[in-house]
Amino acid sequence: PGIIYVPDSELSHLTLAAILYKWVLGAKVVLADLNVNTIPLERPLNVFLHKFADRVITISTDLKKDLEKIGIEITDINGVGFKKPKGGSFPPKKYDAIFIGRHIPQKGIIDLINIWDELVNKKHMKKTLVLIGNIPSYIRGEIDKQIKDLGLESYITRYEDTSEDKKMELY
């Protein structure tokens, strides 16, 4: 590869692998820090490895400041979220929340459906939710049943195979 991208470079073992590949293959390395490494014995190694990256990005000015305090130089901020289009406005809101990710318990899908039950059925807040992502076959039936049993079909819209353009439209 010409470029190696590490999306969680606060994890030293991932950063180490990328830097080794850089030296062996001559590839450029882009590190993206989403957090500050908090493991005391690992942090110095993480800071040292970042010095060999071609670019280091993070997601906010606050995180950039925190990373620079421990010695990691940030070259770019690549924020998350949306800015109002120049000269325009956002279209009217259609949904109240969007979940994007594999629909597995470890990512919170079951908890989210229970939260939606609380909002819609117990608090009487008629909120809409969009679920985007792959649903593994082993849990599909459970998710379908939970949504139906809780009477949430008209409040939850699901998309599985969704293009990036469609995700942006939904945002």
Side-chain angles (χ1 to χ4, degrees):
I3 298 174
I4 299 168
Y5 172 68
V6 182
D8 296 302
S9 59
E10 64 272 12
L11 304 174
S12 295
H13 62 287
L14 300 178
T15 303
L16 176 61
I19 298 303
L20 290 173
Y21 272 111
K22 173 183 178 149
W23 292 335
V24 171
L25 302 174
K28 293 196 179 291
V29 172
V30 177
L31 302 177
D33 285 273
L34 305 180
N35 296 289
V36 175
N37 183 314
T38 59
I39 302 169
L41 295 175
E42 187 178 328
R43 185 185 281 182
L45 172 63
N46 192 261
V47 171
F48 175 73
L49 291 170
H50 273 69
K51 295 183 184 318
F52 297 98
D54 296 282
R55 295 187 90 154
V56 181
I57 62 176
T58 192
I59 58 174
S60 72
T61 54
D62 287 337
L63 186 53
K64 177 183 179 185
K65 288 175 190 173
D66 290 343
L67 290 163
E68 289 178 341
K69 280 181 194 172
I70 65 165
I72 294 177
E73 185 179 329
I74 302 300
T75 56
D76 298 284
I77 295 174
N78 184 25
V80 294
F82 297 92
K83 293 180 182 170
K84 188 174 183 179
K86 289 184 180 179
S89 62
F90 288 114
K93 184 171 78 169
K94 187 173 179 183
Y95 302 105
D96 294 295
I98 297 177
F99 170 88
I100 298 179
R102 272 190 321 137
H103 293 32
I104 58 174
Q106 296 87 339
K107 296 229 179 212
I109 190 66
I110 302 299
D111 295 329
L112 181 57
I113 295 169
N114 288 327
I115 290 167
W116 229 252
D117 173 48
E118 181 79 22
L119 290 173
V120 171
N121 296 320
K122 295 181 178 88
K123 302 278 185 196
H124 306 290
M125 300 170 73
K126 304 306 179 194
K127 301 291 183 180
T128 56
L129 170 65
V130 175
L131 302 177
I132 300 171
N134 176 270
I135 306 171
S137 59
Y138 75 89
I139 194 142
R140 179 182 302 276
E142 181 181 340
I143 290 172
D144 292 343
K145 183 177 182 336
Q146 184 180 16
I147 290 171
K148 184 176 183 190
D149 289 352
L150 296 172
L152 296 173
E153 300 100 320
S154 59
Y155 300 98
I156 297 177
T157 303
R158 297 191 316 186
Y159 295 91
E160 283 189 63
D161 297 320
T162 306
S163 69
E164 293 302 310
D165 287 341
K166 181 66 176 177
K167 287 178 191 174
M168 293 304 290
E169 179 187 319
L170 292 166
Y171 280 137

